[in-house]
Amino acid sequence: MFPTPIQNTSRRTYIAYQVLLPVTLILWLLPLLGVALTSIRPASDITAGNYWGWPSSFSLIENYRAVFTNSPLAAYILNSFKVTIPTVIGAIALSSLTGFALAIYKFRANLLIFFLFVAGNFIPFQILMVPVRDLSIQMGVYNSVWGLILFHIAFQTGFCTLFMRNFIRGLPFELIEAARIEDVSEFRIFWFIVLPLMRPALAALAVLVFTFVWNDYFWATVLTQGAHAQPVTAGLHALNGEWIAAWHLVSAGSIVAALPPVLMFFLMQKHFIAGLTLGAVKS
Amino acid sequence: MFNAVKLGLRLTSALAVVAALAMPATGKELVINSDSSFPAIKAAFEQAIAGFEAENPDINVTFNVFDNEAYKSAIRNFLSADAPDIATWFAGNRMLPYVDAKLFAPIDDVWAANNMSDTLKSAESSVTFYDKKWAIPYTYYQWGVYYRKDIFAKLGIAVPTNWEEFKQAGETLKANNIVPMAIGTKFPWTAAGVFDYLNLRTNGYDFHMALTRGEIPWTDARVRKTMAHWQELLDANFFLENHAANSWQEALPPLVNGKAGMYLMGNFIVEPLREAGLTDETLGFFQFPVIDPAIPTAEDAPANTIHLAAKATNVEEAKKFLAYFARADVQSAMNEKMSQLPVNSKSTVANDPFLQAGFKMLSNTDGGLAQFFDRDAPAEMAKAGMEGFQEFMVKPDRLDAILDRLETVRQRVYK
Amino acid sequence: MLSASRVWKENKLRIAPWLFLAPGIAMFSLYILLPVFQSISISLFDWDGLGEKKFIGLANYAELLHDDAFFTSLKNNVAWLVLYLLAIPAGLFVALFLNQTTRGIRIYKSMFFFPLVISQVVVGLIFSWFYDPHFGLLNTILGGVGLPTIAVLADERFVTYGVIVAGLWPQIAYCMILYLTGLNAVNSEQIEAARLDNAHGWRMLWFIILPQLKPATFIAIVVTVIGALRSFDLISVMTGGGPWGASRVLAYYMYEQAFSEYGFRMGYGAAIAVVLFAIMLVYISAFLFKMYREEKGR
């Protein structure tokens, strides 16, 4: 193990490490802690300039209730779910098919198609912006959650295909050959043999795509306007314009908006990290 | 591609039918998009809409409120792609791009049927383009200097009426550790307010309008004269520090807690200041002082408007609403709530000292009423101008480079 | 009927992949591939998004050459690219710090990872507030040690760096997690052997550990470069490109030109996007080339 396990070092180093650990963590999360503290301050603290002292009283419930009752935050969050969940399902469905095709079959265009999917991941969004907006208008999905869902599915399919294809390549190919000898149809091979083995990959991608799409801001501003379709990232930006100087509300809103992906992360941490670090270790 | 459009339209209309079937009433709809995210303005709209619905129980109004900064970039998107029936906007040249792009529809019939050339006469010219009427102006408000009456009284400062007195007032405030003027230029239109007044007072209304119409080079000596006046204020440290980090609302606390003495702003500043604790005893208003006595005083008095979207689906209902919004009683009630001035000449101005003062000032203005820099100049010029003003306030030594840049933009924009 | 099923039987290994690929390729072509070419074509036109498109050849690109705002954006993009790469050594450093087995270390690792899960909009709001000249934590600290106030986001000298620091926060977390995973897989026999050879500290890190972390470093470079060139959210939330355009980057400038109230120059915006795409293409090609070599090497 590198660096040397701290237990094997001198006692002083050990104690220093144990002290340093929480201190660095607090420094690291300081901006976030400040926001959390502000979100439970009463408005009077903000006007009185008490930003860093102990809150004069705790307004946790008032602030968070105000955020939900006096603003369309709840609608924004609902929109985020409406966009994110179908996208996760759609992107995973499409990419398990493409990933399967690219991993299992040998044909001439295989690598070319695979590389196109991979390259799509790296494209700057701005070069897609104008045409995708026009396309959405023509299909009548502009300014609706469907406009976002369709785009996100298409875009995430690139990343997911890379992931799925490499994952399926790691499965024992003999399984498939054996099934073919038994004359099992190709689709049944996919459905009954490969798909059940892909569970870890599906889980990892589900968490990742959920986080990516939930946190998307650019497309939310390009493809939607107003509270009936906008997800919470764009909504929060709009509310920030409305709540100028009402930092206790901005903070509470930010925390609410960040919560779903954070929960997702803590519940599915292993899968999340497995997805993000794909390729970070030589197999 | 065309088929896709048709399919889309068919789908949307099918959805509309479904939505209509789900409605309990007879299913007449009206969709209004608005930038009224300030609490008082939002409340005024909601009250007016409730009144409209009460008079027209068969019409169900959907009222979409946008953040007022975000609205400015959203409007073109929704007007062209997903149009409401009615949208709020601003009088003056700022509506011209939407008129030219055929995104707003002319409403001469509404004007004629309701005799508006009589009732809305004062703002008629600011909504007339190509001999057609494009909007209903429903409110306007004065700009001017809001100041701390109590601090002025305590320090023995008289309300300044000319440039020397104005600068002297600033010196007295500074001597008492008070910043003369609060301002926040993070959204740089506030700096344009300063430019408007300095230019109107230095060169007059006709010059100002010719400049914003693109007829005068930005490198003109008269523009430099205006900027030289601005420079005097900057040299005297007239403005709040770090103003580029703050929005205009974030610059309010210094005025409230007495660290700043004045604020050049539109009358919408009164409501948040009152909410923060200032009263009619501590907050006052005066007309921006005269710089050149030979120049008749002109004012910024921006009017706000509502428009019929060219792609509106509920045109009949929308026109009903436009007529309703022009009515004297509706404008009286709305403007009382917003603390602004009604456009309809038969409306009453609320009994509020700031509104009364503004009304009196504007009624006696003989120099002319400008809309505002970003409404009088076309969008691209306005954007470059406001950024330039913001930069000038922080880096005055760059004046030449800034004016050269604005001149380049002028030559491209007004081709 | 019979012959059709025979055709299928004999060619199923050739037809089947296309059936599996069809939906994915269709979506991907419609939304990603086609738009790239459409944008390139739009960049040759003068178009406000509504009226007639007017073909003007390379005039948009010619205008870019005389556009100060474009060069400011380009310069800022370079700053983003260079400084963002600091996330890699910083992430490695944090990973080394946390690569222990003491009690509760797992919780620490996830807490350090936290910023990456949060939306950039929230990160932007958090840091705007952190930098606020009146009450932000930064200036509270500066004031505490007697330094003058710095309005980071309103000062053209600092604004881009201020936004980059906000971006580094989650990016360091990302690199950290890549390296933590990499460190987990480092060959412990080699470490022990090197220890016997008296390799310690920096020498060990440089000669033994880093070579084994190469795949992690590669991914870290790829995601960091892309993150740097994609920077948009933070600028939109924290500065809107200001003050006076000092913090614009290409991605943001393009959006402003094409979609803000003051813009709607679709052709000009598309030209900016094409420049950005060309820069990105260098990295895409390098990445694909490396992948190609690995695929062939299998």
Side-chain angles (χ1 to χ4, degrees):
Chain A
M1 209 180 141
F2 184 85
T4 312
I6 208 81
Q7 295 93 325
N8 302 352
T9 58
S10 72
R11 192 165 164 73
R12 267 176 53 193
T13 328
Y14 182 75
I15 291 172
Y17 185 76
Q18 292 296 351
V19 173
L20 214 54
L21 209 49
V23 171
T24 43
L25 181 66
I26 288 172
L27 283 179
W28 180 245
L29 295 181
L30 202 55
L32 193 64
L33 295 174
V35 166
L37 192 63
T38 308
S39 78
I40 57 173
R41 278 183 194 285
S44 57
D45 271 19
I46 311 270
T47 33
N50 177 14
Y51 297 103
W52 292 101
W54 195 248
S56 63
S57 66
F58 291 94
S59 308
L60 179 104
I61 295 168
E62 288 99 303
N63 288 350
Y64 284 83
R65 187 193 288 148
V67 156
F68 277 103
T69 49
N70 301 341
S71 81
L73 192 73
Y76 289 132
I77 290 190
L78 189 66
N79 288 334
S80 276
F81 278 112
K82 281 190 201 161
V83 171
T84 309
I85 292 170
T87 304
V88 169
I89 296 170
I92 287 183
L94 289 189
S95 63
S96 50
L97 294 171
T98 50
F100 177 78
L102 294 172
I104 298 296
Y105 300 95
K106 292 195 172 64
F107 54 100
R108 205 188 287 161
N110 186 317
L111 214 52
L112 176 72
I113 292 174
F114 179 53
F115 280 7
L116 276 179
F117 277 122
V118 175
N121 272 311
F122 299 159
I123 282 178
F125 290 149
Q126 282 69 22
I127 201 162
L128 308 177
M129 184 173 91
V130 174
V132 165
R133 176 175 169 276
D134 287 348
L135 178 71
S136 304
I137 292 170
Q138 285 173 343
M139 296 201 304
V141 292
Y142 176 80
N143 207 1
S144 73
V145 290
W146 281 103
L148 283 174
I149 293 170
L150 290 174
F151 173 80
H152 283 313
I153 289 180
F155 189 81
Q156 296 299 338
T157 296
F159 171 75
C160 296
T161 299
L162 166 68
F163 192 103
M164 291 282 194
R165 181 258 194 191
N166 286 354
F167 187 88
I168 296 172
R169 278 222 150 173
L171 299 176
F173 192 67
E174 300 79 38
L175 278 176
I176 291 152
E177 282 182 324
R180 280 190 184 145
I181 291 167
E182 297 289 319
D183 216 16
V184 180
S185 85
E186 295 298 310
F187 186 76
R188 290 172 71 90
I189 293 179
F190 167 72
W191 192 255
F192 290 108
I193 298 174
V194 175
L195 207 54
L197 293 173
M198 276 159 59
R199 267 196 213 122
L202 298 178
L205 280 182
V207 205
L208 276 186
V209 173
F210 183 92
T211 316
F212 292 161
V213 173
W214 184 279
N215 289 340
D216 162 71
Y217 166 73
F218 180 76
W219 291 102
T221 53
V222 170
L223 294 179
T224 56
Q225 321 276 344
H228 69 284
Q230 258 181 338
V232 70
T233 44
L236 200 59
H237 187 226
L239 287 177
N240 185 40
E242 216 170 297
W243 287 335
I244 280 174
W247 282 102
H248 56 300
L249 296 183
V250 176
S251 308
S254 302
I255 287 183
V256 171
L259 223 46
V262 167
L263 284 179
M264 194 81 166
F265 166 67
F266 278 110
L267 291 176
M268 317 260 296
Q269 205 179 132
K270 202 181 79 198
H271 295 298
F272 192 96
I273 290 171
L276 273 185
T277 55
L278 161 83
V281 179
K282 272 233 156 65
S283 46
Chain B
M1 281 309 197
F2 213 76
N3 279 332
V5 184
K6 272 195 194 150
L7 180 68
L9 284 178
R10 218 173 292 157
L11 271 176
T12 358
S13 49
L15 283 175
V17 171
V18 173
L21 286 175
M23 281 295 160
T26 49
K28 283 190 189 161
E29 290 287 315
L30 180 66
V31 180
I32 302 172
N33 283 8
S34 145
D35 68 342
S36 52
S37 62
F38 296 151
I41 298 176
K42 189 172 164 189
F45 263 85
E46 279 165 352
Q47 171 192 296
I49 288 168
F52 180 74
E53 284 182 314
E55 285 177 26
N56 301 280
D58 55 329
I59 302 177
N60 179 51
V61 180
T62 308
F63 179 51
N64 300 319
V65 182
F66 288 67
D67 159 45
N68 79 313
E69 293 293 341
Y71 187 84
K72 294 168 188 169
S73 50
I75 182 168
R76 182 144 178 169
N77 272 317
F78 64 65
L79 283 179
S80 59
D82 188 26
D85 300 306
I86 285 177
T88 61
W89 197 238
F90 310 110
N93 285 339
R94 200 169 181 181
M95 73 171 74
L96 205 51
Y98 307 95
V99 170
D100 288 338
K102 300 192 171 58
L103 292 173
F104 287 153
I107 48 169
D108 294 80
D109 51 342
V110 181
W111 271 70
N114 297 282
N115 196 22
M116 290 180 193
S117 292
D118 180 30
T119 54
L120 305 180
K121 190 172 185 329
S122 62
E124 185 174 0
S125 65
S126 67
V127 300
T128 307
F129 295 95
Y130 312 113
D131 287 325
K132 288 196 174 100
K133 309 280 184 288
W134 298 91
I136 303 288
Y138 62 91
T139 187
Y140 72 113
Y141 49 88
Q142 82 268 22
W143 271 66
V145 183
Y146 295 80
Y147 73 108
R148 284 294 298 269
K149 238 189 213 172
D150 52 335
I151 295 178
F152 271 49
K154 201 180 81 192
L155 301 178
I157 308 171
V159 165
T161 54
N162 62 43
W163 190 235
E164 286 312 314
E165 288 174 15
F166 185 58
K167 285 191 292 185
Q168 194 46 52
E171 291 306 320
T172 313
L173 287 168
K174 275 194 302 177
N176 290 279
N177 282 325
I178 297 169
V179 179
M181 296 197 89
I183 189 170
T185 62
K186 182 177 181 183
F187 301 103
W189 55 264
T190 49
V194 180
F195 176 79
D196 273 5
Y197 268 98
L198 291 174
N199 199 39
L200 287 170
R201 293 288 184 270
T202 309
N203 295 309
Y205 178 80
D206 292 334
F207 177 87
H208 187 69
M209 295 318 277
L211 179 70
T212 50
R213 272 198 308 270
E215 290 158 12
I216 290 165
W218 279 89
T219 44
D220 190 283
R222 287 166 291 182
V223 178
R224 286 183 186 280
K225 202 170 151 201
T226 298
M227 300 310 270
H229 284 132
W230 203 339
Q231 179 86 52
E232 286 177 45
L233 298 184
L234 294 173
D235 289 343
N237 290 320
F238 236 65
F239 298 98
L240 207 59
E241 242 186 302
N242 295 322
H243 54 78
N246 293 329
S247 62
W248 70 268
Q249 293 100 322
E250 285 166 310
L252 294 175
L255 191 68
V256 175
N257 56 35
K259 287 188 183 130
M262 300 181 274
Y263 205 135
L264 173 66
M265 195 36 78
N267 197 55
F268 49 81
I269 196 179
V270 172
E271 197 248 355
L273 285 179
R274 279 185 178 149
E275 206 153 272
L278 293 188
T279 62
D280 295 351
E281 278 67 52
T282 50
L283 182 68
F285 169 80
F286 64 83
Q287 185 174 21
F288 195 89
V290 170
I291 294 179
D292 180 348
I295 306 254
T297 56
E299 305 294 329
D300 266 342
N304 289 354
T305 50
I306 59 171
H307 301 255
L308 175 63
K311 297 184 180 173
T313 36
N314 309 298
V315 178
E316 278 320 302
E317 292 76 14
K319 286 186 172 171
K320 235 180 205 173
F321 188 80
L322 291 169
Y324 169 82
F325 231 59
R327 251 163 50 188
D329 58 325
V330 175
Q331 293 205 352
S332 302
M334 266 194 93
N335 282 290
E336 175 158 14
K337 196 140 210 165
M338 295 190 286
S339 293
Q340 294 183 6
L341 299 168
V343 177
N344 191 312
S345 57
K346 308 245 166 32
S347 291
T348 46
V349 173
N351 188 19
D352 170 286
F354 294 95
L355 289 179
Q356 293 293 346
F359 187 66
K360 208 176 116 205
M361 176 181 85
L362 295 178
S363 310
N364 295 327
T365 295
D366 41 12
L369 294 184
Q371 284 297 325
F372 192 75
F373 185 76
D374 68 354
R375 306 182 184 196
D376 292 324
E380 268 185 86
M381 188 70 246
K383 160 111 171 158
M386 296 187 304
E387 263 180 17
F389 302 148
Q390 185 198 30
E391 185 171 357
F392 174 72
M393 286 188 74
V394 184
K395 305 274 176 189
D397 50 310
R398 293 190 192 157
L399 178 63
D400 290 329
I402 294 169
L403 292 182
D404 285 346
R405 198 170 65 220
L406 295 190
E407 178 56 17
T408 316
V409 176
R410 181 185 77 94
Q411 289 181 4
R412 188 169 53 73
V413 170
Y414 304 89
K415 268 192 288 230
Chain C
M1 221 30 225
L2 205 116
S3 73
S5 81
R6 240 184 77 187
V7 170
W8 167 244
K9 268 233 158 90
E10 282 166 6
N11 292 297
K12 76 173 178 187
L13 289 188
R14 260 195 282 168
I15 300 169
W18 294 104
L19 294 178
F20 284 115
L21 282 171
I25 288 187
M27 283 293 280
F28 199 73
S29 310
L30 187 65
Y31 270 100
I32 314 290
L33 296 183
L34 205 60
V36 170
F37 295 102
Q38 285 171 325
S39 273
I40 295 174
S41 129
I42 292 171
S43 77
L44 304 176
F45 288 85
D46 181 15
W47 186 38
D48 67 357
L50 297 165
E52 285 291 298
K53 283 186 199 163
K54 199 175 115 210
F55 184 79
I56 53 168
L58 295 175
N60 283 326
Y61 294 93
E63 191 183 333
L64 280 181
L65 294 178
H66 303 285
D67 183 349
D68 288 345
F70 171 72
F71 285 104
T72 307
S73 312
L74 199 59
K75 202 188 83 210
N76 285 337
N77 261 123
V78 173
W80 270 86
L81 204 52
V82 173
L83 293 177
Y84 231 49
L85 288 174
L86 291 179
I88 297 171
L92 174 64
F93 183 77
V94 180
L96 289 172
F97 179 66
L98 291 179
N99 194 32
Q100 292 292 346
T101 49
T102 54
R103 241 160 58 99
I105 197 77
R106 273 197 53 192
I107 305 282
Y108 277 105
K109 286 180 186 168
S110 5
M111 295 306 274
F112 268 88
F113 187 63
F114 211 74
L116 186 61
V117 191
I118 305 172
S119 144
Q120 298 240 317
V121 176
V122 177
V123 172
L125 290 176
I126 291 176
F127 271 83
S128 313
W129 180 80
F130 180 75
Y131 289 137
D132 187 285
H134 306 298
F135 57 81
L137 187 53
L138 178 71
N139 283 302
T140 308
I141 294 170
L142 286 179
V145 294
L147 288 170
T149 300
I150 300 176
V152 177
L153 298 181
D155 191 316
E156 59 176 1
R157 289 169 299 170
F158 305 127
V159 62
T160 294
Y161 305 108
V163 182
I164 292 174
V165 167
L168 279 175
W169 194 44
Q171 196 64 31
I172 289 173
Y174 197 161
C175 294
M176 173 203 85
I177 207 77
L178 289 169
Y179 279 120
L180 272 177
T181 315
L183 283 170
N184 243 335
V186 165
N187 184 330
S188 52
E189 283 166 25
Q190 274 190 29
I191 297 180
E192 292 317 314
R195 279 209 175 107
L196 292 179
D197 286 345
N198 236 347
H200 289 290
W202 292 110
R203 282 176 56 84
M204 170 85 99
L205 177 65
W206 189 257
F207 292 107
I208 309 294
I209 306 297
L210 271 184
Q212 295 195 55
L213 291 177
K214 236 173 147 185
T217 306
F218 176 71
I219 306 264
I221 292 175
V222 169
V223 296
T224 305
V225 166
I226 294 172
L229 290 178
R230 279 224 178 118
S231 49
F232 173 90
D233 301 8
L234 288 174
I235 293 165
S236 166
V237 172
M238 294 174 73
T239 68
W244 55 89
S247 65
R248 283 188 188 116
V249 294
L250 290 178
Y252 190 78
Y253 188 44
M254 187 275 165
Y255 178 85
E256 254 188 348
Q257 284 297 317
F259 275 0
S260 73
E261 188 209 340
Y262 307 108
F264 279 88
R265 301 182 66 199
M266 299 287 182
Y268 196 59
I272 300 168
V274 170
V275 172
L276 187 60
F277 179 64
I279 298 172
M280 202 83 105
L281 211 52
V282 176
Y283 288 92
I284 299 179
S285 314
F287 181 80
L288 289 182
F289 182 68
K290 185 178 182 313
M291 260 181 91
Y292 181 75
R293 270 197 338 214
E294 275 171 13
E295 290 294 328
K296 288 289 138 179
R298 277 196 190 204

